């Protein structure tokens, strides 16, 4: 089989006949050379990006999952499936989305999304950034809040089952921290215990600071 060259001619956009033949050539090439699909290509990624955004940077209530650690993504999917993560949006959206997910698919989705580049949401309150940074780095010893940096890392990049927080959306981070204080469960300790000691103002500051991290 001969490799069909992709004749993309963007210099002549008004030449519709030529553009159509280019599209046809591309489709043909894709059909001829796709070969057997790898496990990852068989995953119905659109079942997820439908809610999480086309490049998985988050959309509406669904958080960014692009660039999240693989182990955390996999653990989260399991926690929705076995209903351990029980806050309202998890129940409403993710329990259904994971109902028919087997372990192999969860592994595949986690591997796929962890490889995508993560973009910062940049949507917090800039006036609270310094306060958030101080709590993140030093904790609040008087209120029995440990520093976040010891687990989530200096750039909030996460590690294995500890999620990357840097650049996640403000509203999502705020909601997560508040809901643990309200008694909803997590996939793993220790977050409910830590979040219970944070005030609304401290949560706003942390969520703001984190949303700006690249
Ligand atoms: C109907 C919309 C919808 C669909 C479909 C959906 N999600 Fe979600 N997902 C959400 C929402 C909303 C949340 C936030 C839950 C919360 O607030 O705790 C979420 C949360 C998550 C989380 C937790 C992220 C974190 O940082 O803790 C992961 C992982 C996830 N989804 C992966 C997926 C994957 C993989 C698929 C496809 C198999 C998928 N989602 C399909 C709406 C959806
Ligand atoms: C001892 C280690 C540890 C410390 C300290 C810690 N975390 Fe976490 N954090 C975790 C783990 C593990 C998870 C995953 C737990 C889960 O999803 O149930 C997590 C999850 C989170 C999430 C959820 C992210 C998502 O994608 O849904 C947020 C938000 C968070 N932590 C914020 C913080 C903040 C803010 C602090 C400091 C006040 C902090 N954490 C301190 C270990 C830690």
């Amino acid at each position: 089989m001969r490799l069909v060259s992709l004749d993309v001619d963007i210099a002549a956009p008004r030449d519709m006949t030529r553009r159509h033949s280019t599209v046809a050539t591309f489709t043909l090439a894709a059909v001829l050379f796709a070969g057997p699909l790898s496990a990852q290509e068989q995953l119905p990624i659109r079942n997820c990006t439908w809610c999480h955004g086309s490049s998985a940077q988050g959309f509406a209530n669904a958080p960014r999952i692009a660039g999240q650690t693989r182990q955390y993504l996999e653990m989260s999917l399991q926690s929705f499936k076995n209903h351990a993560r029980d806050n309202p949006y998890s129940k409403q959206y993710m329990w259904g989305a994971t109902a028919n997910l087997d372990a192999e698919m969860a592994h595949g989705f986690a591997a796929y999304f962890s490889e995508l580049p993560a973009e910062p949401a940049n949507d917090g309150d800039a006036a609270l950034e310094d306060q958030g940074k101080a709590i993140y780095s030093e904790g609040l010893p008087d209120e029995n809040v440990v520093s976040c940096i010891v687990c989530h890392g200096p750039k909030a990049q996460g590690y294995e089952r500890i999620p990357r927080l840097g650049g996640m959306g403000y509203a999502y981070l705020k909601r997560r921290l508040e809901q643990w204080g309200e008694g909803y469960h997590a996939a793993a300790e220790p977050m409910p215990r830590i979040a219970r000691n944070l005030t609304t103002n401290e949560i706003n500051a942390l969520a703001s600071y984190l949303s700006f991290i690249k």
Side-chain angles (χ1 to χ4, degrees), residues 47-48 51-52 63 72 80 85 87 89-90 93-94 172 175:
N47 289 359
C48 317
C51 283
H52 287 271
Y72 174 76
F80 294 125
R85 182 164 164 181
N87 56 311
Y89 286 149
S90 294
Y93 298 103
M94 287 307 298
Y172 174 77
R175 199 169 67 230

Side-chain angles (χ1 to χ4, degrees), residues 3 14 49 73-74 76 86 146-148 151 177 180 203 210:
L3 192 80
R14 267 164 291 163
T49 53
L73 288 174
E74 202 169 341
S76 301
D86 58 359
V146 290
S147 76
C148 322
C151 288
L177 291 167
W180 282 318
I203 287 177
L210 292 167

Side-chain angles (χ1 to χ4, degrees), residues 93-174:
Y93 298 103
M94 287 307 298
W95 285 16
T98 52
N100 297 317
L101 211 62
D102 61 29
E104 199 187 334
M105 282 180 86
H107 188 79
F109 277 124
Y112 175 82
F113 287 111
S114 69
E115 292 292 322
L116 298 183
E119 292 163 19
N122 274 325
D123 61 352
D125 180 350
L128 297 177
E129 195 177 351
D130 289 349
Q131 187 195 349
K133 184 177 184 171
I135 304 172
Y136 184 85
S137 312
E138 291 142 38
L140 296 159
D142 295 345
E143 295 165 44
N144 203 18
V145 173
V146 290
S147 76
C148 322
I149 204 168
V150 296
C151 288
H152 290 277
K155 290 182 172 165
Q157 73 278 25
Y159 177 72
E160 296 190 346
R161 283 176 164 222
I162 300 171
R164 171 194 287 247
L165 305 175
M168 291 198 78
Y170 172 83
Y172 174 77
L173 290 168
K174 176 175 163 64

